[in-house]
Amino acid sequence: MNAMFRISGAGRLSQAKTASFSFDDKSYVGIEGDTLASGLLANGVHLVGRSFKYHRPRGVVSAGAEEPNALVQIVRDDARKTPNVRATVQELYDGLTAHSQNRWPSLSFDVGAVNDIASPLFSAGFYYKTFMWPKSAWKSLYEPKIRAAAGLGVSPDKPDPDHYAARYAHCEVLVLGGGAAGIAAALAAAETGVRVILADEQAEFGGSLRFESGARIDGQDGYAWAQAAIAKLKAMDNVRVLSRTTAFGYYAQNFVGLVERVSDHLKSPGRDLARERLWQIRAGRVVIATGAIERHMVFANNDRPGVMLASAARTYLNHYGVAVGKNVGVYTANDSAYTAAIDLKKAGVNIAAIVDLRDNPSGPVIDEARALGIEINFGRAVVSAGGKLRVSSMTVQPKNGGGGRTIPVDAILMSAGWTPSVHLFSQSRGKVAFNAETKRFVPGTYAQDCVSVGACNGTDGLDATVDEAYAAGAKAAKEAGGKAGKGAKPKVDAGESWSRGMLGAAPGAGPGTTVKAFVDFQNDVTAKDIRQAVHEGMHSIEHVKRFTTNGMATDQGKTSNMHGLAIAAEELGKPIPQVGLTTFRAPYTPVTFGSIVGHARGALFDPTRRTATHGWAARQGAVFEDVGHWKRAWYFPKSGEDMHAAVNRECVTVRKVGGLFDASTLGKIEVVGPDAAKFMELLYTNPWEKLETGRCRYGIMLREDGFIYDDGVVGRLAPDRFHVTTTTGGAPRVMNHMEDYLQTEFPHLNVWLTSITEQWAVIAVQGPKSREIIAPLVEGIDMSDEAMPHMSVREGKICGVPTRLFRMSFTGERGFEVNVPADYGEAVWEVLWAEGQKHGATAYGTETMHVLRAEKGYIIVGQDTDGTVTPNDAGLDWAVGKKKTDFVGIRGLTRPDLVAKGRKQLVGLKTKDPKVVLEEGAQIVADPKQPIPMKMIGHVTSSYWSENCGRSIALALVAGGRDRIGQTLYVPMPNGTIEVEVTGMVFVDEKGERLNG
Amino acid sequence: MLLIRCPYCEEERPELEFRNAGEAHIARPTNIAAESDDDFEKFFFIRANPKGVIYERWRHIHGCARFFNAVRDTVTDKFVMTYKAGEPKPAKLPGAAK
């Protein structure tokens, strides 16, 4: 069964292939190849949405990507509910379900339409003026209400189940736009043998040839020529043809972002197909052939459903076989609308009248229209459209005023002229130039290796377009290294040509009028709003734009920008170029987050690093925490234990017996070479030349400004070889810092730096029984205190595999760190674990590690320091070589502020109530009774419950902290002020005897 | 994404492989400990931040890992040239005013 407005014999779709679809729960039948818009129009449905602000009924305006009105929600299933889809772009598939947006309770009766009646309240800048006060109401009241009332579609509330692909590509010539110009350029470039990519946003190539019924190229109909040319291009090995692919962004050095809609047009895409594919193409030359977009006429009620662009009506007829009405009026200021009237008339649609603003135009299309018996009115204007849910009439007057008459119509086709699509050219940082004669912005100065051809370059006429495009394609290919082409330029036998038109408000909507003559349909901006903005002092187009929101909707003003600019210019009494054009920015059309994100989501969002013992820890029920990219075992709860209980047990067991801890994530860098010690002298504050082979030292690395950058234990394996450890988070930047100095400041030093973080698994065995646990498994190393004192390193074997065995401690207990090649990490851990269990040792995680080191006052760089802490501030002056004449940071340390009195210093804090655990980051004051805002003298950097001490402990940075030891300070918190005593930083074993215990 | 020519790899590679490392041709004083406060301030804290041509350091961190120098226009983002670390500031830029 044919839909009412489908005209048999018209259009290119096969009427045999039907597709049923629903819109607002009502079923319709369309044809495969339809867009949702053409399918609805074929069924006589023009009313498809409500406007953003005034909730006015709206219909389909265009037949393409510029559509401002026909935004719908496409629902595939519970999770796939895509809002703000342009019905003119969405291809129909059998079973498609669409809903209108921004209406309640229904599209034809919408309560929000009261905004239209109350519209004097909602003038330009309304939001800025009205919701200023009280400030607190913005978040709680105004914003949610405005969003609910003025929103567009509804966001899906479930994770996106689709997947999105991404491709990089390179080519010599990239052609953007697949109309006559783009195809001609691609043909010329392809014939030279270079790699060519041709992309177009539509499902079928041809651009304006889809509606230009008069075009004939190479002896055939223009559209048929385009299909033949595309088939030829597709068959060439050096050409890639991308349909349904929108170039949305033009970036530096001919880098262009495109989105290919892979499966949104399919009934059942299946899991194999991505929804969209992001193309990132680097091109030697870019040919921009993006065409032009028709402008609407700005007159009262020009937004009534049924009022649309002339080229759109022509597309619906000539491509989709759909008549947009039965009795159609035309309102134009240029020739192109005549061709739409002629085509419709020939298809049997009544043309009520053509109203032409021009006084005495002439030309073949006007003659033809007249010959067909169409009524033509020159020098007249449509001053208003009648009807509400659908246009019912147009009121026509002489353009300079005078008596009018009302003509019944069911559609009005309008054309104010064509705006070259300079979006991508402008994004490439090219400068547009205003052509005063044709009143349009065209590409002026180029910033990149690209060229604009055809309508987007202001070139009028099919013949001139193909000439220009073919030559540009050949030239681009040649410049990019192509040979001379062998092909022949397509011959244009017949084509259409028009230009000119008008900008700004039409008669009846000019200065002094208050009618609703829409400039920007999507954001409900009228000609009056633009003038009001100018009156209120917005003299730059950038200000006018933001004040009125003209051109700021999702269509980015494709139809509205030039009108808005012209109205502002008129009101300001300035020429258009002096008022300026707003900047074009990516994306050209809305781009989904999915296509930008691609596969980088969920587990693939960021790399995950796991240590060699990860599997073992997981099997033990460890709870993990993220430390940078690493997953680290946080604590190992036994059954029934919460975190607190597990950590308390782990802490006590390590000090009583022993514990195993995976320290593999610490950064490790091998510094090797004849000048290794000299290099270490320069990069760390400590002296290294005299460190004996086999011994370790705690090193501090500064930035040049004197602040602590990193720290770690360094072992000297040989006179020319140091095994350096860094903090977990600092590993990459420490390596970068070292490389920077080695390559650029100390290139005379003969040193090699190698990251060995992932080569060695590190098992810390700490506690009084640590030596007993390890010793039975070690070969070739004397582990006695005499042979291997605290802070020494030995190479040998453990469990039969090579080891670098460090005797060091981050717990204050006798301790070792067993380094083994990472592949053996888990196996060695299991053996050590079995051995440890004989003694009652525990496995412990990062939380226990933190508590134990805090009990000893060992700092963590990045937690107890923050990039403004010197070694002296941290109580680490002993680690700065006093006799050294140079190291990175030596000069910074003597800066006046760094040696001044009263700097914040690290100290310990004990709460007066031992059960109270301070909050890390809490601020500290000297006098809790002072008025707010209080003077803050420091903050808590580390704070824990210490089961070993039977109380809470904390470290803090406090101004003049070491001179305040013994004093009482205060930590004001929301639930009351906490009293604390300033102490030294060591809470357990102040003399350090347990290191050998 | 910019393409940057690594003077060591001798080819253009995508920006993702590189990391900017601040202004170039600021040498660390050989006897830095003896620098006056003013001189140290100039050396460590003060940067030209020009609008237009900047001489800056880059590192091909996800490539050959070498630091090198580049001349870039901060307005157009265009790289004028790149050259190896340690080489002097180019006296004349390619394509400079004729």
Side-chain angles (χ1 to χ4, degrees):
Chain A
M1 188 195 76
N2 266 348
M4 261 187 310
F5 288 84
R6 190 83 64 179
I7 297 184
S8 82
R12 304 189 177 95
L13 312 184
S14 164
Q15 305 216 355
K17 295 180 182 167
T18 60
S20 57
F21 66 101
S22 80
F23 178 64
D24 279 349
D25 302 321
K26 199 169 166 208
S27 294
Y28 300 96
V29 177
I31 296 178
E32 275 186 28
D34 262 331
T35 59
L36 176 58
S38 69
L40 286 167
L41 294 173
N43 288 280
V45 178
H46 278 257
L47 172 63
V48 290
R50 287 274 173 173
S51 71
F52 179 68
K53 194 159 94 178
Y54 299 132
H55 288 247
R56 283 170 69 101
R58 290 286 166 83
V60 175
V61 169
S62 76
E66 69 271 32
E67 178 61 38
N69 271 352
L71 304 182
V72 297
Q73 189 128 16
I74 303 290
V75 179
R76 273 196 191 267
D77 55 37
D78 204 26
R80 295 175 175 88
K81 300 172 184 168
T82 313
N84 306 335
V85 175
R86 287 154 293 159
T88 54
V89 171
Q90 174 65 51
E91 293 171 58
L92 210 55
Y93 52 82
D94 192 47
L96 181 141
T97 304
H99 293 288
S100 59
Q101 301 180 158
N102 199 28
R103 84 295 190 265
W104 185 84
S106 76
L107 187 54
S108 54
F109 178 72
D110 174 19
V111 168
V114 69
N115 285 4
D116 193 17
I117 298 154
S119 64
L121 299 174
F122 295 98
S123 63
F126 162 73
Y127 296 106
Y128 302 121
K129 293 169 189 164
T130 310
F131 299 111
M132 297 277 288
W133 182 92
K135 206 173 154 192
S136 61
W138 179 252
K139 257 195 133 150
S140 58
L141 180 66
Y142 298 145
E143 192 186 349
K145 292 289 176 209
I146 291 169
R147 283 200 189 287
L152 292 170
V154 180
S155 294
D157 53 2
K158 294 200 164 54
D160 187 348
D162 287 317
H163 67 101
Y164 297 79
R167 287 281 297 269
Y168 287 93
H170 295 82
C171 62
E172 276 68 42
V173 178
L174 171 63
V175 183
L176 303 174
I183 292 171
L187 283 170
E191 282 154 2
T192 70
V194 300
R195 292 171 300 173
V196 175
I197 298 177
L198 170 64
D200 190 87
E201 63 189 358
Q202 300 277 353
E204 295 96 8
F205 284 79
S208 299
L209 298 172
R210 294 197 311 159
F211 62 77
E212 279 193 28
S213 49
R216 292 192 69 79
I217 305 174
D218 285 344
Q220 54 186 330
D221 160 63
Y223 183 80
W225 167 83
Q227 306 318 305
I230 291 298
K232 183 181 167 191
L233 287 166
K234 279 183 176 167
M236 297 173 82
D237 290 337
N238 58 323
V239 181
R240 184 187 288 281
V241 175
L242 297 170
S243 60
R244 298 187 178 92
T245 304
T246 304
F248 64 83
Y250 198 131
Y251 305 97
Q253 289 167 299
N254 275 356
F255 190 67
V256 180
L258 306 93
V259 167
E260 179 184 3
R261 291 175 299 283
V262 179
S263 62
D264 268 356
H265 62 292
L266 299 176
K267 177 182 169 69
S268 312
R271 292 294 300 152
D272 292 345
L273 278 184
R275 180 174 173 227
E276 293 176 338
R277 179 178 292 118
L278 177 70
W279 287 86
Q280 294 174 82
I281 300 179
R282 180 84 65 180
R285 295 289 184 282
V286 176
V287 178
I288 304 172
T290 47
I293 291 172
E294 198 170 22
R295 291 186 303 277
H296 58 282
M297 298 293 288
V298 179
F299 62 99
N301 301 325
N302 59 346
D303 62 328
R304 292 306 186 206
V307 182
M308 62 167 59
L309 298 174
S311 61
R314 209 176 170 206
T315 305
Y316 289 119
L317 177 70
N318 292 339
H319 191 77
Y320 300 101
V322 172
V324 298
K326 291 186 186 307
N327 181 36
V328 176
V330 177
Y331 183 23
T332 186
N334 82 111
D335 283 355
S336 65
Y338 283 82
T339 53
I342 291 165
D343 286 351
L344 280 161
K345 178 79 178 172
K346 285 179 178 170
V349 175
N350 185 52
I351 304 299
I354 294 177
V355 180
D356 194 329
L357 260 184
R358 296 173 298 178
D359 285 325
N360 268 309
S362 63
V365 290
I366 296 169
D367 295 342
E368 189 180 353
R370 198 174 279 130
L372 285 166
I374 299 173
E375 179 194 327
I376 302 174
N377 301 277
F378 292 142
R380 278 164 200 271
V382 173
V383 292
S384 179
K388 187 150 195 225
L389 300 181
R390 173 78 183 264
V391 65
S392 60
S393 66
M394 57 183 190
T395 303
V396 180
Q397 277 180 8
K399 70 177 184 186
N400 297 321
R405 66 171 170 133
T406 297
I407 304 172
V409 292
D410 61 0
I412 299 175
L413 315 188
M414 48 185 178
S415 178
W418 293 78
T419 307
S421 293
V422 295
H423 309 75
L424 292 171
F425 166 79
S426 181
Q427 284 183 28
S428 81
R429 295 192 177 185
K431 294 254 183 305
V432 293
F434 190 70
N435 182 323
E437 193 194 332
T438 58
K439 289 185 186 164
R440 52 192 182 187
F441 284 99
V442 292
T445 314
Y446 282 84
Q448 297 201 37
D449 289 330
C450 59
V451 59
S452 297
V453 295
C456 71
N457 193 37
T459 303
D460 298 316
L462 187 57
D463 207 357
T465 288
V466 169
D467 272 2
E468 176 181 68
Y470 194 82
K475 182 163 178 276
K478 194 178 168 208
E479 286 169 354
K483 304 184 191 92
K486 292 184 278 296
K489 188 179 77 178
K491 186 173 172 299
V492 175
D493 307 311
E496 299 172 5
S497 174
W498 51 78
S499 63
R500 312 300 165 91
M502 60 97 62
L503 293 170
T513 62
T514 57
V515 295
K516 281 213 183 65
F518 286 92
V519 175
D520 182 326
F521 292 117
Q522 205 180 355
N523 267 353
D524 273 348
V525 180
T526 63
K528 186 199 76 146
D529 292 331
I530 307 261
R531 287 192 290 265
Q532 185 191 334
V534 172
H535 286 175
E536 295 194 14
M538 314 299 147
H539 290 182
S540 148
I541 195 64
E542 296 287 356
H543 288 154
V544 172
K545 165 183 161 176
R546 282 159 184 80
F547 194 67
T548 61
T549 71
N550 190 57
M552 289 172 69
T554 61
D555 68 338
Q556 292 200 30
K558 289 185 179 62
T559 51
S560 65
N561 277 344
M562 288 306 296
H563 281 320
L565 179 55
I567 295 166
E570 183 190 20
E571 203 66 15
L572 286 162
K574 282 187 188 172
I576 283 175
Q578 279 185 30
V579 182
L581 188 61
T582 55
T583 311
F584 292 95
R585 299 186 198 283
Y588 173 70
T589 48
V591 175
T592 62
F593 282 113
S595 64
I596 299 293
V597 168
H599 294 296
R601 60 178 183 165
L604 297 179
F605 176 67
D606 219 12
T608 300
R609 301 174 83 183
R610 294 184 180 85
T611 69
T613 68
H614 186 92
W616 182 90
R619 287 193 296 278
Q620 296 291 314
V623 177
F624 291 90
E625 70 167 334
D626 291 335
V627 182
H629 285 148
W630 289 102
K631 296 280 176 200
R632 299 195 74 180
W634 194 10
Y635 56 97
F636 290 83
K638 291 189 169 175
S639 67
E641 280 184 344
D642 60 6
M643 177 175 174
H644 189 64
V647 171
N648 285 350
R649 173 183 49 76
E650 290 172 16
C651 285
V652 169
T653 310
V654 172
R655 292 215 188 280
K656 269 195 182 147
V657 185
L660 270 68
F661 172 71
D662 187 339
S664 305
T665 65
L666 287 184
K668 295 176 278 294
I669 298 167
E670 205 157 282
V671 179
V672 187
D675 297 322
K678 275 188 194 148
F679 181 74
M680 290 297 294
E681 289 273 343
L682 284 165
L683 268 291
Y684 284 83
T685 59
N686 322 60
W688 300 95
E689 296 271 18
K690 286 181 182 160
L691 182 69
E692 287 170 38
T693 297
R695 295 308 304 269
C696 301
R697 183 162 283 163
Y698 168 75
I700 295 178
M701 173 178 272
L702 305 182
R703 294 188 311 219
E704 209 69 84
D705 56 11
F707 294 130
I708 296 175
Y709 192 54
D710 203 73
D711 69 347
V713 170
V714 179
R716 192 170 198 171
L717 298 169
D720 64 350
R721 185 175 297 260
F722 290 85
H723 179 118
V724 175
T725 66
T726 75
T727 56
T728 295
R733 62 180 152 84
V734 169
M735 184 74 182
N736 188 64
H737 179 83
M738 285 183 168
E739 279 286 353
D740 193 349
Y741 277 98
L742 180 59
Q743 289 184 34
T744 67
E745 297 293 355
F746 313 132
H748 56 283
L749 296 180
N750 193 352
V751 173
W752 284 93
L753 303 171
T754 309
S755 167
I756 52 168
T757 303
E758 299 200 339
Q759 275 58 46
W760 294 95
V762 184
I763 304 161
V765 184
Q766 303 277 314
K769 301 278 187 194
S770 56
R771 182 166 57 190
E772 287 167 61
I773 295 168
I774 298 170
L777 308 170
V778 169
E779 297 164 52
I781 301 173
D782 180 350
M783 290 182 66
S784 68
D785 283 345
E786 298 71 37
M788 192 179 179
H790 178 60
M791 293 301 264
S792 53
V793 57
R794 298 288 179 270
E795 290 180 278
K797 285 196 165 183
I798 187 166
C799 307
V801 304
T803 182
R804 288 178 179 178
L805 180 61
F806 284 75
R807 179 162 176 200
M808 56 186 279
S809 176
F810 200 42
T811 58
E813 302 297 317
R814 172 190 292 278
F816 297 88
E817 292 198 357
V818 180
N819 285 249
V820 292
D823 285 350
Y824 298 114
E826 186 165 19
V828 172
W829 174 284
E830 297 241 28
V831 177
L832 282 166
W833 173 244
E835 203 63 36
Q837 290 216 296
K838 293 177 191 168
H839 300 274
T842 183
Y844 66 96
T846 50
E847 188 64 22
T848 291
M849 176 269 284
H850 275 108
V851 177
L852 295 175
R853 65 90 202 174
E855 288 172 351
K856 290 295 300 177
Y858 297 151
I859 66 163
I860 289 185
V861 170
Q863 175 168 346
D864 301 298
T865 71
D866 60 5
T868 66
V869 176
T870 67
N872 183 284
D873 298 340
L876 297 170
D877 243 1
W878 57 266
V880 180
K882 299 291 175 298
K883 290 178 191 155
K884 290 177 71 169
T885 56
D886 198 5
F887 57 83
V888 174
I890 191 169
R891 179 60 186 82
L893 283 178
T894 61
R895 290 192 290 142
D897 282 356
L898 270 64
V899 295
K901 281 207 182 326
R903 287 187 59 80
K904 285 184 184 172
Q905 295 171 327
L906 266 180
V907 289
L909 293 183
K910 282 182 177 171
T911 49
K912 289 283 165 76
D913 177 350
K915 290 205 167 44
V916 172
V917 181
L918 293 168
E919 211 164 284
E920 287 174 357
Q923 297 291 326
I924 298 162
V925 301
D927 172 12
K929 296 199 176 80
Q930 61 186 306
I932 292 171
M934 299 188 186
K935 182 176 167 54
M936 298 176 289
I937 60 168
H939 67 275
V940 178
T941 61
S942 292
S943 175
Y944 310 94
W945 173 260
S946 165
E947 187 74 1
N948 286 312
C949 300
R951 59 160 298 120
S952 73
I953 57 168
L955 300 176
L957 277 167
V958 178
R962 288 198 288 271
D963 289 338
R964 293 181 192 265
I965 286 175
Q967 288 181 14
T968 298
L969 297 177
Y970 302 88
V971 180
M973 296 299 288
N975 297 327
T977 298
I978 301 166
E979 267 185 83
V980 297
E981 184 197 335
V982 182
T983 70
M985 289 168 67
V986 184
F987 301 93
V988 167
D989 183 27
E990 210 159 336
K991 290 183 182 159
E993 288 162 341
R994 297 183 63 87
L995 288 168
N996 293 306
Chain B
M1 186 172 8
L2 299 173
L3 285 177
I4 301 172
R5 182 181 172 80
C6 172
Y8 295 98
C9 298
E10 298 186 334
E11 62 174 339
E12 289 194 326
R13 306 291 304 167
E15 186 187 344
L16 279 178
E17 295 183 11
F18 297 85
R19 186 180 295 168
N20 185 284
E23 197 173 324
H25 300 294
I26 299 170
R28 185 176 188 269
T30 42
N31 187 6
I32 195 168
E35 291 286 292
S36 70
D37 283 342
D38 284 350
D39 286 344
F40 182 75
E41 182 194 33
K42 284 189 195 114
F43 157 70
F44 188 73
F45 292 104
I46 307 299
R47 293 296 179 264
N49 193 23
K51 180 179 181 181
V53 170
I54 188 172
Y55 297 78
E56 61 187 0
R57 305 183 325 132
W58 284 79
R59 186 181 184 201
H60 194 186
I61 187 162
H62 301 297
C64 67
R66 299 293 296 268
F67 283 84
F68 60 90
N69 293 327
V71 186
R72 183 174 60 93
D73 189 314
T74 59
V75 177
T76 63
D77 236 10
K78 279 191 177 150
F79 279 80
V80 180
M81 63 180 296
T82 57
Y83 51 102
K84 292 176 179 175
E87 288 181 3
K89 204 170 188 168
K92 217 180 143 192
L93 297 177
K98 285 139 203 160

